[in-house]
Amino acid sequence: MASSSYSNSPCAACKFLRRKCLPDCIFAPYFPPEEPQKFANVHKIFGASNVSKLLNEVLPHQREDAVNSLAYEAEARMKDPVYGCVGAISVLQRQVIRLQKELDATNADLIRYACNEMPPTSFGRSTRMGHGGLSSSSSSASYDQNSALYYPSTWNNDTCGHNQGRGDHGSI
């Protein structure tokens, strides 16, 4: 942990707060003078006193992660004052869910193709697939809206359904 007290300039926090940067400055290792906006955002959202208290309570090896987390949240709050980083996380979760559903639908199409159930392109539509075409609703995956978790479909060993109709379902 190098302090910027007797080097070229005070840390970004001390410069922002217009105070002398002492050798034991708690902010100096985490808010270098070349990143003034980082401290300005953190100060505006959390306050210098709260950040100082937090850094003093956190173990030294965890302080850099704590400052990075505070800086990320502060920047997100500056961009979106209502939701902050939770808004970004929510958008990404919805994107993951949409892509997982698309992947499940594509995998279902691949299984139908592998089992020769795909409709021939030049002969019309197959009657075995229901509604006569490809459907993205064929996925058996589920989404729990209360916990925002996605549960992908489970696949049995025989993806083409060759065991169906046998009473033992493949047991010896």
Side-chain angles (χ1 to χ4, degrees):
M1 285 191 189
S3 175
S4 63
S5 62
Y6 296 110
S7 62
N8 295 338
S9 63
C11 70
C14 290
K15 188 171 185 178
F16 183 87
L17 299 171
R18 297 179 182 185
R19 65 182 191 189
K20 185 176 180 182
C21 193
L22 301 174
D24 61 342
C25 176
I26 191 75
F27 298 118
Y30 314 108
F31 297 103
E34 57 272 0
E35 296 181 32
Q37 194 60 44
K38 180 178 177 182
F39 181 77
N41 290 346
V42 170
H43 173 67
K44 183 171 184 173
I45 300 300
F46 300 106
S49 178
N50 289 330
V51 174
S52 176
K53 288 176 190 174
L54 183 126
L55 290 176
N56 283 318
E57 291 177 8
V58 172
L59 296 174
H61 70 277
Q62 295 174 327
R63 288 179 182 166
E64 185 174 358
D65 290 336
V67 167
N68 290 337
S69 181
L70 290 171
Y72 180 79
E73 176 64 23
E75 186 176 337
R77 286 277 171 197
M78 297 297 284
K79 291 178 183 175
D80 184 355
V82 176
Y83 293 109
C85 67
V86 174
I89 291 168
S90 179
V91 167
L92 292 172
Q93 284 179 331
R94 286 193 303 267
Q95 185 178 11
V96 166
I97 290 165
R98 181 182 53 78
L99 291 171
Q100 187 63 51
K101 287 179 181 179
E102 187 178 324
L103 179 63
D104 284 348
T106 302
N107 283 334
D109 290 345
L110 285 171
I111 290 171
R112 281 194 295 277
Y113 180 77
C115 297
N116 295 321
E117 294 180 9
M118 290 294 282
T121 57
S122 61
F123 297 109
R125 295 183 172 182
S126 171
T127 58
R128 294 175 65 185
M129 291 183 54
H131 303 299
L134 297 178
S135 169
S136 62
S137 63
S138 62
S139 170
S140 62
S142 63
Y143 171 66
D144 180 3
Q145 291 183 347
N146 292 330
S147 64
L149 295 176
Y150 180 78
Y151 302 100
S153 59
T154 56
W155 295 30
N156 60 15
N157 291 334
D158 185 11
T159 58
C160 293
H162 295 118
N163 289 351
Q164 294 175 0
R166 289 183 24 192
D168 59 0
H169 296 288
S171 61
I172 299 176

